[in-house]
């Protein structure tokens, strides 16, 4: 299955990468090679989890994150509008979601690695924090910085922060200091993840929702309330 996924992704990279506006051939080859490295690291993490090799589980996940950062930080996508290059760039989010699923599935066997020297992690987070100076960087929703170092730092932060939050959450859970997530919040936010562009576009037409924080908060509350009503109806005895 991994081989089929790699072949399908590689075919997409080649077809879309060579279509106008075409990428350089070396960039297409990097996409293909980094895809193989990412899948290999994901597979290695799963195998290490099955074998009970705790630190190796996390180290393989670090390798997968590094492969994804190089895969989408080095190629010169030159994103300025909606084209095939932007479609390829979208796949960085696919890698992030894939890594997230692997991290979730291996949570019981993944031993801490970087968090054992957590002060050093703080320096890494500071290094990867985005600049406070505004730059449009192609498209505001999917920034593509002209300098390779800036792209690597931005993408690196996109992968490191979720891994850090995952470890913080596991630490609190192991200490018994966290509260269980309400089912309505879990289901509501999951539904919102799938259909949020549609509902945000609808709510944005109303003047009262012109404030982005208010719009996002209201949309999340609506979905959590709907999920709560649906779950309450399912639990009600007939």
């Amino acid at each position: 299955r991994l081989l089929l996924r790699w072949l399908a992704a590689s075919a997409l990279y080649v077809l879309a990468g060579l279509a106008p506006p075409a990428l350089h051939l070396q960039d297409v080859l990097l996409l293909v090679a980094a895809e193989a490295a990412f899948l290999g690291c994901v597979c290695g993490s799963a195998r290490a989890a099955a074998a009970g090799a705790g630190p190796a589980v996390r180290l393989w996940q670090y390798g997968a994150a590094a492969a994804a950062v190089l895969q989408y930080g080095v190629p010169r996508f030159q994103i300025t509008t909606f084209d095939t290059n932007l479609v390829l760039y979208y796949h960085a989010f696919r890698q992030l979601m894939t890594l997230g699923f692997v991290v979730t599935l291996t949570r019981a066997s993944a031993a801490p690695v970087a968090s054992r020297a957590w002060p050093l992690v703080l320096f890494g987070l500071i290094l990867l924090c985005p600049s406070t100076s505004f730059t449009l960087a192609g498209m505001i929703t999917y920034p593509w910085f002209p300098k390779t170092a800036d792209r690597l730092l931005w993408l690196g932060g996109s992968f490191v922060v979720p891994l850090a939050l995952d470890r913080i959450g596991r630490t609190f859970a192991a200490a018994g200091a966290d509260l269980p997530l309400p089912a309505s919040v879990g289901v509501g936010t999951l539904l919102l993840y799938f259909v949020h562009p549609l509902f945000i576009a609808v709510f944005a037409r109303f003047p009262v929702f012109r404030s982005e924080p208010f719009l996002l908060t209201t949309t999340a509350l609506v979905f959590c309330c709907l999920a709560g009503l649906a779950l309450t109806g399912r639990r009600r005895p007939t």
Side-chain angles (χ1 to χ4, degrees):
R1 293 181 180 179
L2 287 176
L3 178 60
L4 291 176
R5 170 175 168 165
W6 178 74
L7 290 174
S10 299
L12 174 65
Y13 295 147
V14 172
L15 294 176
L18 298 181
L23 292 174
H24 294 282
L25 179 60
Q26 58 266 35
D27 291 335
V28 176
L29 294 177
L30 175 60
L31 288 171
V32 173
E35 184 74 19
F38 177 84
L39 293 176
C41 290
V42 166
C43 182
S45 178
R47 289 180 177 272
V57 177
R58 202 59 159 179
L59 289 173
W60 280 113
Q61 293 168 4
Y62 293 159
V69 170
L70 292 174
Q71 184 178 21
Y72 295 98
V74 174
R76 290 152 290 183
F77 290 107
Q78 302 291 347
I79 297 173
T80 57
T81 185
F82 193 95
D83 52 24
T84 54
N85 287 351
L86 179 60
V87 173
L88 289 177
Y89 194 56
Y90 281 158
H91 286 258
F93 302 99
R94 174 175 59 83
Q95 305 296 58
L96 182 60
M97 295 299 106
T98 301
L99 181 59
F101 280 118
V102 173
V103 168
T104 301
L105 293 175
T106 59
R107 66 173 61 180
S109 55
V113 177
S115 58
R116 299 181 64 181
W118 63 266
L120 298 179
V121 178
L122 294 179
F123 287 103
L125 292 174
I126 293 172
L127 175 66
L128 298 172
C129 283
S131 171
T132 55
S133 300
F134 175 78
T135 177
L136 183 59
M139 297 180 64
I140 192 170
T141 50
Y142 304 101
W144 188 88
F145 298 96
K147 294 184 178 180
T148 303
D150 293 332
R151 298 198 298 271
L152 293 176
L153 290 174
W154 186 81
L155 286 171
S158 300
F159 280 84
V160 168
V161 169
L163 289 173
L165 293 177
D166 170 74
R167 178 53 61 190
I168 293 173
R170 295 187 192 191
T171 302
F172 275 94
D178 60 339
L179 297 175
L181 178 70
S184 59
V185 177
V187 176
T189 51
L190 179 62
L191 294 174
L192 181 61
Y193 170 76
F194 286 106
V195 297
H196 70 276
L198 174 62
F199 280 82
I200 289 177
V202 172
F203 287 149
R205 295 183 176 274
F206 297 93
V208 69
F209 294 119
R210 294 295 170 84
S211 171
E212 289 84 357
F214 184 63
L215 171 61
L216 294 176
T217 303
T218 303
T219 308
L221 288 176
V222 168
F223 271 82
C224 290
C225 290
L226 291 176
L229 292 174
L231 292 172
T232 301
R234 290 183 59 184
R235 295 169 183 167
R236 186 175 301 165
T238 57

